Amino acid sequence: MARPGFGKRSAPGQAPRRADDFAHLPAREASVAGYLDRLPEGAAMDVKTLAKELAAYGQQAIRTALNYLAQAGHLCRRREPVGEGRTQWVFRTYFSRTPRNEVWWKRFLRGDAPPEQVDAAPEPEPVPAAQPPARSRAYKTLATLGRTGDRRLTLSASECAQLEPLVAEWFARGASEADIVRAVASGLPPEVHCAGAFARRRLIDKIPPERFHEPADLPGPAPAEKVQCRTCCAPGPPEAFSEGLCRACLPPSASHAAEEALAAERAEGVRRRVADLKASLVRQRPGDVLNRKSARKRR
């Protein structure tokens, strides 16, 4: 123990002692702080004494650790007069398990920070349990393959993750879960030595074709244009009307002229057809023509 008035002094209003009180400190400083926290009230905590008790650290290391604890708010050293009519000054050291800021220490040294005004260290918020990762439709299909298909096709988590892109491609091509189970589990051999490799081979070999879009129906021919007679409103093609009148409504002279024009058009069509046939005969090979002529002469 130190001489009376020179040892450890505990700050009021500290939080209850816990195992992680100094987890936020470096290893050396946490070790020194833990030792100081266990010291009784009034125990010596000068550098030389602590260096003797903590054999792992020398005086310089202890001095550095105490300075760090002061900056972190666990330690406060104050120069005070000894009192009792003496003019000697000493450093008194206050220790707090709960870290305090500079404002709190100043209020405490002035005497206006009673224990009931000190906020205890907040309790750590409970860490929520880790939620399992959301699995895709493809992964779930593979994970249940041993139940929905065949027990010999039970896959591990690693195999499900590796085959997941293949099954996703099946879904992209319009397949359902039942289609995949049927493709992989139907017609199994007597023994399945490696369910993962077997399922991979089936998924690759039996993948359905890619989707394709049917071409839109081509528009049909435009409906034939029809007109109506001005007199009787009978419909018909434009060429069957003359001056907006059908043949039945045309006057005799106009009807006769229309019939002559139609007959002339038909005769012209016949002449063009005959000319085309003659031209096609002329284009035939000359040998064929000579052979036909000699055959007629022999007759």
Side-chain angles (χ1 to χ4, degrees), residues 33 39 147 181 261 290:
L39 286 177
R147 298 193 300 270
V181 173
L290 293 176

Side-chain angles (χ1 to χ4, degrees), residues 19-280:
D20 59 345
D21 283 331
F22 308 108
H24 59 284
L25 298 175
R28 181 181 62 187
E29 284 70 14
S31 176
V32 175
Y35 179 78
L36 296 178
D37 188 33
R38 293 189 298 270
L39 286 177
E41 192 75 9
M45 51 183 299
D46 58 279
V47 173
K48 290 184 178 181
T49 303
L50 294 177
K52 291 179 181 180
E53 298 294 334
L54 301 174
Y57 308 110
Q59 294 186 23
Q60 183 61 40
I62 293 295
R63 186 176 292 105
T64 304
L66 293 178
N67 291 335
Y68 190 94
L69 292 176
Q71 295 175 4
H74 292 282
L75 207 64
C76 179
R77 287 176 287 188
R78 180 186 182 187
R79 186 171 179 266
E80 298 177 352
V82 176
E84 299 178 359
R86 302 169 61 184
T87 59
Q88 184 181 1
W89 290 77
V90 295
F91 280 95
R92 302 194 189 279
T93 305
Y94 298 89
F95 180 80
S96 173
R97 184 185 313 113
T98 303
R100 310 294 188 181
N101 56 30
E102 185 178 357
V103 176
W104 186 93
W105 281 114
K106 289 181 178 180
R107 293 183 59 192
F108 166 71
L109 295 176
R110 289 198 305 265
D112 60 350
E116 60 270 16
Q117 295 181 2
V118 178
D119 296 331
E123 293 291 334
E125 296 182 0
V127 179
Q131 297 294 331
R135 297 299 184 182
S136 64
R137 178 188 176 194
Y139 187 95
K140 293 177 181 178
T141 303
L142 292 166
T144 58
L145 189 59
R147 298 193 300 270
T148 57
D150 192 289
R151 295 184 59 185
R152 292 173 291 176
L153 295 177
T154 302
L155 303 175
S156 65
S158 176
E159 291 171 334
C160 291
Q162 294 175 7
L163 298 177
E164 186 177 1
L166 280 175
V167 178
E169 181 61 25
W170 275 67
F171 287 141
R173 299 188 181 194
S176 62
E177 289 89 344
D179 296 334
I180 296 173
V181 173
R182 191 181 308 110
V184 177
S186 61
L188 293 178
E191 294 184 4
V192 178
H193 299 285
C194 182
F198 182 85
R200 177 184 294 275
R201 190 72 266 167
R202 285 283 180 96
L203 290 172
I204 294 176
D205 292 345
K206 294 189 175 185
I207 189 170
E210 295 182 1
R211 287 183 173 182
F212 59 91
H213 299 284
E214 293 287 347
D217 295 336
L218 297 177
E225 182 183 359
K226 291 186 177 182
V227 294
Q228 291 182 345
C229 177
R230 292 183 307 176
T231 302
C232 64
C233 297
E239 56 272 12
F241 294 84
S242 177
E243 298 179 359
L245 299 174
C246 63
R247 294 177 184 176
C249 298
L250 283 173
S253 58
S255 176
H256 181 69
E259 290 179 359
E260 288 183 353
L262 181 60
E265 182 179 353
R266 290 177 179 175
E268 181 64 24
V270 172
R271 284 194 293 271
R272 286 197 299 269
R273 179 60 178 165
V274 172
D276 292 340
L277 291 175
K278 289 181 178 180
S280 63

